[in-house]
Amino acid sequence: DKSDYGPHQWHKVVSDGDFWHTFDLKDSGSNQCDDNKDQSPIDVCVHPRGNCKETHEMRPKSGDYRMNGEFMMKQILPNKLRIVMAPRTGEEPDPPMVDFSSNGRGITDMTNIDIKIPSEHTVCGRRFDAEMQYFTYHPGRHKFVAVSFFLEASPTNPRNEHLQKMIDAFRREYNRDKKKCEEKMKMMSSAAHSFASGGKNRMLEDNSTLYEGFFQDDDWHEHATEESTINSISEEYTHSRSIHRELSMKWHPFHPDIQKTVHFWGYDGSFTEPPCTSDSVSWKIMDVPTPISEFQLLQFKQILFNHVDENCRRTSVHNSDGSVARPTQKSTKYYKCTRDNYVSDEERTICGDRGCNPPFGEGLNPYYPPLVDVTGPPTRSPSN
């Protein structure tokens, strides 16, 4: 997007005091969005040039946080949906955690989850419906590790039950802000009615037109007309009481509904938004997408693109293509971890380090083939 506010102008953004600057980064004093070195996102494909740095699969722990609890703050921001994890303050409650074998520090706490529409990273030029990014922070390296899941919608995909809990939580935030806007507009209309002059009546008419415009969604017709459908269908498939019960349960970011693989592409890059600090993120791009229904994708878009804040201001900065994703940047050296490097912990327990044949023994989680087979390092032949 080459508009005055698009990614090509991000190098002008003053980002001091933003979310990323609350962490101690190697280089936290400059905006590097116009730097051509080690920028993210990138396109990954079949010819990795680096060697896998892992010796075992990432080992997550769910922690104690609940989707509707105060420790998971839901934010509908201009260019993403974000969940901020409250930092650890004692032994319990615990945030979600991940053990990366290449991390050099053991388990690190998750800091936030970002959702971008469509995906920012691509695979051999293919862009996915959305991308869900899990960030953990390594205080010793002054660097983030980000695990990225592609979200893929299809007419044949059933509803992703675990991910629906996240959608329901964001929908509550969306409806809460919309209600505040409606209340504010009603107060303005009531105040205008109290004046008898023609000028003040004219003000009421202008405000009424403005109010209607916020929810007609003139710049997103194909989805705007679905809002009433979303609300009615949501009420059909679940009651508010059952939603509250589901959101009150611990939410595991690496639930089997979400994580379908233990292998990924990896590289060192940057944030995909200002300040775009290079060499600040070790990216791990999972090689099997997370399936969602088309209706769930519609809900994500509705929440992000059609959101208005409590002051009735539209918040989304999506472009005319319905995207908040930063374009892919100049390719950098990346690696790919496959079964040649390690098998899942489940397979290792049953069949040893070489894994089972066929992959994943009976009674264990099923094996999903990767999006593409790589032919360069670290594999000696196309991956299985």
Side-chain angles (χ1 to χ4, degrees):
D1 186 354
K2 297 183 180 296
S3 70
D4 292 341
Y5 304 98
H8 292 275
Q9 300 295 325
W10 283 359
H11 64 282
K12 300 178 182 179
V13 174
V14 178
S15 53
D16 291 345
D18 66 5
F19 175 78
W20 304 117
H21 280 89
T22 62
F23 298 88
D24 184 16
L25 302 175
K26 289 181 180 178
D27 185 354
S28 59
S30 63
N31 182 314
Q32 300 178 19
C33 294
D34 61 346
D35 190 345
N36 292 323
K37 181 181 178 182
D38 297 331
Q39 288 292 297
S40 300
I42 65 170
D43 179 69
V44 294
C45 199
V46 299
H47 299 297
R49 293 184 290 128
N51 294 307
C52 176
K53 301 177 181 180
E54 312 294 325
T55 57
H56 61 70
E57 67 169 285
M58 60 185 76
R59 293 168 177 164
K61 293 186 177 181
S62 63
D64 303 312
Y65 290 2
R66 294 164 171 78
M67 190 57 74
N68 71 339
E70 60 181 341
F71 297 105
M72 296 181 72
M73 182 185 302
K74 277 70 65 180
Q75 299 175 341
I76 304 175
L77 301 175
N79 68 328
K80 59 185 163 289
L81 300 177
R82 169 172 282 173
I83 296 177
V84 177
M85 306 292 179
R88 182 190 302 273
T89 57
E91 292 187 2
E92 290 185 354
D94 291 328
M97 300 165 280
V98 188
D99 174 14
F100 301 101
S101 65
S102 62
N103 216 7
R105 191 179 186 269
I107 295 178
T108 53
D109 293 344
M110 188 177 295
T111 58
N112 59 291
I113 299 174
D114 288 355
I115 298 174
K116 303 290 185 70
I117 302 174
S119 71
E120 296 191 302
H121 291 88
T122 56
V123 178
C124 300
R126 178 186 174 188
R127 194 175 298 277
F128 292 81
D129 294 310
E131 183 173 336
M132 185 162 59
Q133 303 163 347
Y134 296 171
F135 287 85
T136 70
Y137 177 68
H138 192 298
R141 299 170 61 196
H142 305 286
K143 193 171 184 176
F144 284 86
V145 179
V147 180
S148 196
F149 293 91
F150 295 121
L151 303 185
E152 185 176 40
S154 167
T156 59
N157 285 348
R159 189 173 76 150
N160 188 311
E161 297 296 340
H162 194 66
L163 203 55
Q164 186 62 43
K165 298 173 186 176
M166 175 188 286
I167 296 173
D168 289 339
F170 275 115
R171 196 174 67 232
R172 282 189 166 191
E173 297 297 317
Y174 176 94
N175 289 335
R176 185 178 294 116
D177 287 342
K178 179 180 175 181
K179 184 177 180 180
K180 289 179 179 178
C181 170
E182 291 172 338
E183 291 173 349
K184 180 172 183 176
M185 297 307 297
K186 288 178 181 178
M187 289 177 62
M188 292 175 65
S189 298
S190 177
H193 272 301
S194 67
F195 292 94
S197 68
K200 295 301 182 183
N201 287 334
R202 177 61 182 172
M203 185 185 95
L204 170 62
E205 294 172 5
D206 291 342
N207 283 337
S208 297
T209 302
L210 179 65
Y211 173 76
E212 292 173 358
F214 277 123
F215 301 106
Q216 287 175 345
D217 303 300
D218 295 331
D219 59 348
W220 199 256
H221 286 295
E222 61 179 309
H223 299 300
T225 57
E226 300 291 341
E227 181 170 4
S228 60
T229 304
I230 288 177
N231 291 334
S232 62
I233 293 178
S234 298
E235 291 172 359
E236 289 177 9
Y237 70 65
T238 184
H239 297 291
S240 60
R241 181 176 299 177
S242 63
I243 290 179
H244 178 77
R245 182 172 60 252
E246 290 293 329
L247 297 183
S248 297
M249 300 172 65
K250 293 180 182 179
W251 195 82
H252 196 332
F254 290 85
H255 187 278
D257 282 358
I258 294 175
Q259 183 181 358
K260 301 295 184 182
T261 180
V262 297
H263 300 118
F264 53 85
W265 290 270
Y267 75 100
D268 290 326
S270 71
F271 302 123
T272 60
E273 60 190 26
C276 309
T277 311
S278 62
D279 195 30
S280 59
V281 184
S282 291
W283 286 95
K284 302 180 187 300
I285 317 300
M286 306 306 287
D287 68 2
V288 175
T290 298
I292 62 174
S293 70
E294 288 188 328
F295 183 65
Q296 287 180 307
L297 176 61
L298 179 63
Q299 290 180 85
F300 272 128
K301 289 182 176 181
Q302 170 73 21
I303 293 166
L304 180 57
F305 296 158
N306 295 343
H307 176 253
V308 294
D309 64 20
E310 60 186 39
N311 294 312
C312 300
R313 291 185 298 237
R314 286 189 176 278
T315 59
S316 177
V317 293
H318 64 277
N319 64 20
S320 58
D321 294 325
S323 172
V324 294
R326 187 187 191 189
T328 52
Q329 305 296 298
K330 182 180 178 181
S331 181
T332 188
K333 184 178 180 180
Y334 61 88
Y335 62 89
K336 178 67 164 64
C337 293
T338 72
R339 289 178 56 82
D340 284 350
N341 304 109
Y342 59 84
V343 297
S344 73
D345 288 346
E346 288 181 318
E347 282 193 78
R348 186 175 294 180
T349 299
I350 300 298
C351 303
D353 290 345
R354 293 184 178 274
C356 304
N357 187 18
F360 290 77
E362 182 179 357
L364 301 179
N365 288 335
Y367 174 74
Y368 298 90
L371 286 164
V372 295
D373 294 328
V374 298
T375 56
T379 55
R380 296 176 295 279
S381 62
S383 59
N384 296 325

